[in-house]
Every structure is written in C-alpha cells, then in structure tokens.
Amino acid sequence: QVQFVESGGGLVQSGMSLRLSCTASGFDFSNSYMTWYRQTPGKQRELVARISSGGSTFYSDFAKGRFAISRDNAKNTVSLQMNNLKSDDTAAYYCNSARYSLGTYVPSEYWGQGTQVTVSS
C-alpha cells in the first residue's frame, strides 16, 4: 500500500525557517520522482519542488532561492528546507511520488494527510 507521511510543519514568524520531512512506502522509492505540493483552502494544489531519482531538482518560481528539496533513498524520505518564509507560504504541504508521462509529471493518486505550515507576518 502506497503511503506518504508528512511532518515538520508548524507556526512560525515571517523570515524564519522550517524543515518538512516525508516518509514514503509501498512503491519503488529510489527510482521515483518525488515532489512537494502545497494547498490553501479553495485553491488547487500547486507544485513546490520536484527531485529525480538521481537528485536533479526543479522549483516553482516562488520557491527558487528559498526552498531546497532533498532525498535519502536509503531511508525512503524526502525533505523540504524552507527558508525566509513569507505569509504567502501558509498552506498544507504534501509530498507525493510522480511519473513522467507524455511530457508532464503526474503525481500518484495517493495523498497523505499533509503538514500545515502557518507563517505569521
């Protein structure tokens, strides 16, 4: 059974940092793209960052220069270091695997509970 368990969220002040972690199971983690998404109420989930099995990374524009995604294939974990947080970063954060198909990266149908990040200004 595919599972994603996110942790590390919390309430922080603007400008501070948080490190999110995700433990995944039930699929071939080491050979999968891994992603972080975020979602605020009433909006669609949006991609934050993606990392390939070999460590190549991609960031959405809002995350560039502030966030860093990493993975540990031995532990089936993916992390997101978030620095210089802003109030606009307030959201629930989710990790997921992804596959490359027809020119796009498609997340799996499985989603964890997410971890809430709240940034106060």
Side-chain angles (χ1 to χ4, degrees):
Q1 182 179 359
V2 176
Q3 281 191 320
F4 302 99
V5 180
E6 301 93 346
S7 63
L11 171 63
V12 296
Q13 291 185 328
S14 179
M16 295 184 69
S17 299
L18 275 176
R19 185 176 181 84
L20 308 184
S21 294
C22 170
T23 300
S25 60
F27 63 99
D28 186 3
F29 179 91
S30 61
N31 287 310
S32 297
Y33 290 96
M34 291 301 298
T35 61
W36 281 97
Y37 282 80
R38 70 184 188 183
Q39 187 173 26
T40 54
K43 294 186 178 181
Q44 286 190 326
R45 281 191 181 104
E46 61 177 349
L47 178 70
V48 178
R50 182 177 61 240
I51 186 167
S52 72
S53 58
S56 297
T57 58
F58 171 85
Y59 297 93
S60 291
D61 286 345
F62 63 83
K64 289 179 181 176
R66 299 189 300 129
F67 295 3
I69 188 172
S70 60
R71 66 190 295 160
D72 185 336
N73 290 337
K75 296 181 179 179
N76 279 22
T77 59
V78 59
S79 299
L80 185 69
Q81 177 68 40
M82 305 188 295
N83 300 323
N84 190 22
L85 284 161
K86 305 174 181 180
S87 56
D88 287 349
D89 296 319
T90 295
Y93 285 72
Y94 303 85
C95 74
N96 205 329
S97 61
R99 59 182 175 85
Y100 185 72
S101 175
L102 299 177
T104 189
Y105 295 87
V106 181
S108 83
E109 62 183 297
Y110 304 97
W111 296 92
Q113 293 298 308
T115 186
Q116 178 68 35
V117 172
T118 303
V119 184
S120 64
S121 57

